Every structure is written in C-alpha cells, then in structure tokens.
Amino acid sequence: MGDGARVEARVVATYRRALGFGPIVVSRDLARAHTTTGLDSAILARPADLGPLLARWPGVAVGESTDGPQAGEASAQSLVNLAVLGVLLAYVLVAVANRLVATTTGRREELDGLRRLGATPRQLRRMLRVEAAMIGAGASVAGIVLAAVPLVLLSIGFLAGPLPAGPYWPVPALVLVVGLIVWLAVELPGRATRRVG
C-alpha cells in the first residue's frame, strides 16, 4: 500500500479499459486504513447527488473541480510534453517554409519564361497561389490522416469507440497555421522573384 504495508487482497474482477482508473482499484475501506488522515481527499459527484452528500457530511466544501488528474487538469509532465511537441512542430514548420522559399526563389527563370510567353503578372500570382493552396491542402490532409490512425486505434482500445476524447479545435487551427505558412512561403518570394525578373 501507499504507507509501505503489505496486504493480501482478493481479486473480484478484472478490466481491460483502465481510462479513468489505475491498474488496480481497491475498496475505500482498505485504502482508508493506510492513509495518514483516514479521510477521502476528494469525492466526484453529480450535481443531483450533492444534496444527500452534504446532509451526510456537514461542513464539506464543494468545488467545481479537484486537483487530481481525473478532473481534467494537466499535470506538469503533460505540460512538458506539450512544450516539447510545440518546439518540434515549430522546427518542422520552419524547415518546410525554408524549403518552399528556396524552391519558389529558384523558379525565377521559369517565371521569366512564362512572362516572355505572354503570361500576365496576375496569371503568375494566381498560378503560385493555386500551387500554394494545393501544397497546403495536401499537407493538411496527410497530417490529419497520419494523426487519425493512431488516435482512432487508441480510442477503440480505451473508449470502445472510434472518436477520440478531447477538444477538436486544434485540427482547424493547425490547418489554418499550415495554410498561412505555405501561403507566406510561396507568395512573398514569388513577389520578390517577379519584381527582380
């Protein structure tokens, strides 16, 4: 147990989906005997159940959430993981943007040739923007598919359904970020190349 005591417990059930629990769930009475205060640190209850609970334990303070990870608050380790992922994502985006800038800048002769064949600056701008849109859409679709496969498999294993838990707003936000970076990495050097030519 948490206080170092060894106990013999009888297994009454096993479960495969441990989301929201730990690898082992013990009875309240067994766990209480091995704590310093013998009291529960938190009780998660539905609003409809608060009346009987407050009547049973007068003086109990009711809060919106607890400090435990089961209440959805991020731990320090998860914040570190998110920061590392953010740095890696920024590095990848900078590398891709640099490659797009170099590729667009290297197309100066191609753009000059199209201009000599009669293409107007407006047509060249539209061509570069369509290419940027195709690159951004392809990158976004590939990223969503590559991320969706493991998320769906984990959701089936933990949640018994294909839809992952959590907010969905990062998906359109990342698509917008990718689209903006691709557009800037193609549009700005394209303008400079057309001016120099």
Side-chain angles (χ1 to χ4, degrees), residues 9-188:
R10 182 169 55 96
V11 176
V12 295
T14 61
Y15 55 90
R16 289 182 296 170
R17 296 188 180 94
L19 191 64
F21 297 107
I24 299 173
V25 178
V26 298
S27 70
R28 181 173 172 265
D29 295 332
L30 177 61
R32 182 174 50 191
H34 299 279
T35 61
T36 55
T37 62
L39 300 174
D40 297 322
S41 60
I43 298 174
L44 302 179
R46 293 184 295 259
D49 299 334
L50 286 178
L53 287 175
L54 294 177
R56 183 174 175 188
W57 292 302
V60 171
V62 178
E64 291 296 323
S65 65
T66 68
D67 291 332
Q70 68 272 16
E73 295 189 3
S75 66
Q77 182 64 40
S78 65
L79 291 177
V80 169
N81 291 342
L82 285 175
V84 170
L85 285 175
V87 170
L88 290 174
L89 180 62
Y91 176 77
V92 169
L93 288 174
V94 167
V96 169
N98 281 339
R99 181 65 179 158
L100 286 173
V101 168
T103 302
T104 305
T105 305
R107 296 175 65 187
R108 179 177 301 156
E109 292 181 8
E110 174 191 346
L111 296 176
D112 284 342
L114 290 172
R115 199 168 15 211
R116 283 193 290 269
L117 290 173
T120 64
R122 182 176 179 182
Q123 290 172 328
L124 294 177
R125 277 195 306 271
R126 191 180 330 149
M127 178 189 77
L128 289 175
R129 288 173 183 167
V130 169
E131 289 176 359
M134 291 172 60
I135 292 170
S140 298
V141 170
I144 289 171
V145 169
L146 289 174
V149 171
L151 283 175
V152 167
L153 293 176
L154 286 172
S155 297
I156 291 171
F158 286 116
L159 304 174
L163 291 178
Y168 294 110
W169 63 264
V171 175
L174 287 175
V175 169
L176 287 174
V177 168
V178 168
L180 178 64
I181 289 175
V182 169
W183 182 78
L184 289 174
V186 172
E187 179 73 14
L188 296 180

